[in-house]
């Protein structure tokens, strides 16, 4: 019964050409983004911003799931309605980030290991009780001199698999996020090699830890050249390299792949997802969807700027990006949509 529920929830998360909206920034990350725009870094400002997101009209047309953070899942609208109820009433599935962030990895200078396994079973039970139906855990892998090391890849893959297994035990769909970072001068090819190695290791560990692949979502990076690589490839090359890598490393039993945006602009992230669906959609075993934070939220955050009077235009900007990504899943996104 539980396995069927997991499969149904995972299927719903990628059905109807919708995708996930990640609004699971930890308080320090959210504060950092607020600070850059001069927005006060208070619990009330974070709550007001999250209220703006969850009350955006029409979001349920494009968004299947929202990923919350521990603070956010406990918060309410100003009128006292819990966010989880607002989200559910909009036809959107609430989810929760459950890792506790990345830490320096012992013996591996410059590399990180994600924490949060201790006590996870009990936290998952609490979140499930609060209405969450899926969870997210992010591992970060840096490319650089001698990096990533085998030790870093294996430790992070094992943590992802142990988290995923605990999620499924609780009836939560794990969103498994191994992120190969964009920072660096590396080429598109190097990102492809590293991403493939990381994904192969992750799926080996998921198998070892008895994770049901049909009841999970993979949240990977796109295969991209490093931010400071002089050779910045076009949209079609990125689409080809990304799909080639995924076809090699992601089993067909996985129902959906929902990309993170990783610091790409909203427009580029939509254009790249669109190109993948235009070129390959009919030939792929899994759905290619999105699970963006910055690439959906950033324009709305900048317009809002902490001011109540900017609420409506900020919500319009959020809805616009969500619609662009719905179109990208259909292979129907184009630059003209950005002028509407
Ligand atoms: P970005 O889309 O901003 O990379 O965020 C996705 C996410 O959930 C990071 O963990």
């Amino acid at each position: 019964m539980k396995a069927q529920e997991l499969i149904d929830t995972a299927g719903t998360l990628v059905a109807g050409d919708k995708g996930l909206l990640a609004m699971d920034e930890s308080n320090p990350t959210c504060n950092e983004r607020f600070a850059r725009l001069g927005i006060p870094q208070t619990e009330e400002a974070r709550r007001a911003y999250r209220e703006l997101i969850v009350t955006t009209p029409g979001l349920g047309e494009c968004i299947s799931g929202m990923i919350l953070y521990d603070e956010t899942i406990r918060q309410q609208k100003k009128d006292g309605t819990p966010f989880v109820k607002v989200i559910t009433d909009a036809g959107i599935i609430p989810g929760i980030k459950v890792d506790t962030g990345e830490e320096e990895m012992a013996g591996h200078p410059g590399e990180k290991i994600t924490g949060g396994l201790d006590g996870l079973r009990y936290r998952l039970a609490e979140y499930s009780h609060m209405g969450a139906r899926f969870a997210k855990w992010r591992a970060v892998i840096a490319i650089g001199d001698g990096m990533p090391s085998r030790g870093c890849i294996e430790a992070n893959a094992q943590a992802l698999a142990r988290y995923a297994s605990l999620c499924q035990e609780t009836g939560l769909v794990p969103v498994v996020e191994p992120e190969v970072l964009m920072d660096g001068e590396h080429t598109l090819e190097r990102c492809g090699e590293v991403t493939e190695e990381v994904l192969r290791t992750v799926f080996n560990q998921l198998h070892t830890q008895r994770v049901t692949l049909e009841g999970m979502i993979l949240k990977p990076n796109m295969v991209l050249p490093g931010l400071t690589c002089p050779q910045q490839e076009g949209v079609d090359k990125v689409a080809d390299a990304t799909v080639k890598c995924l076809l090699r490393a992601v089993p067909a039993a996985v129902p959906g792949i929902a990309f993170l945006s990783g610091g790409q602009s909203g427009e580029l992230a939509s254009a790249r997802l669109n190109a993948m669906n235009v070129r390959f959609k009919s030939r792929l075993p899994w759905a290619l969807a999105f699970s963006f934070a910055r690439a959906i939220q950033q324009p709305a955050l900048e317009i809002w700027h902490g001011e109540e009077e900017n609420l409506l235009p900020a919500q319009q900007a959020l809805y616009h990006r969500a619609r662009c990504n719905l179109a990208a899943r259909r292979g129907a996104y184009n630059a003209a949509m950005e002028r509407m």
Side-chain angles (χ1 to χ4, degrees), residues 22 24 136 138 177 219 260-262 291-294:
D24 60 333
K136 189 202 89 169
R138 171 174 177 256
E177 182 181 11
K219 175 165 173 167
L260 60 95
S261 60
S291 176
F292 298 154
R294 283 163 287 180

Side-chain angles (χ1 to χ4, degrees), residues 69-125:
Y69 175 63
D70 184 72
E71 178 180 78
T72 324
I73 198 170
R74 301 170 197 278
Q75 284 175 324
Q76 295 115 26
K77 271 172 60 177
K78 218 164 191 164
D79 70 8
T81 317
F83 284 169
V84 171
K85 176 164 169 32
V86 180
I87 293 170
T88 312
D89 287 351
I92 297 172
I93 303 177
I96 180 81
K97 166 203 182 82
V98 298
D99 65 73
T100 54
E102 67 264 21
E103 300 157 15
E104 300 297 328
M105 189 166 159
H108 295 73
E111 299 197 288
K112 307 271 198 235
I113 177 75
T114 301
L117 285 172
D118 285 353
L120 182 58
R121 173 177 276 135
Y122 307 101
R123 289 194 292 124
L124 292 175

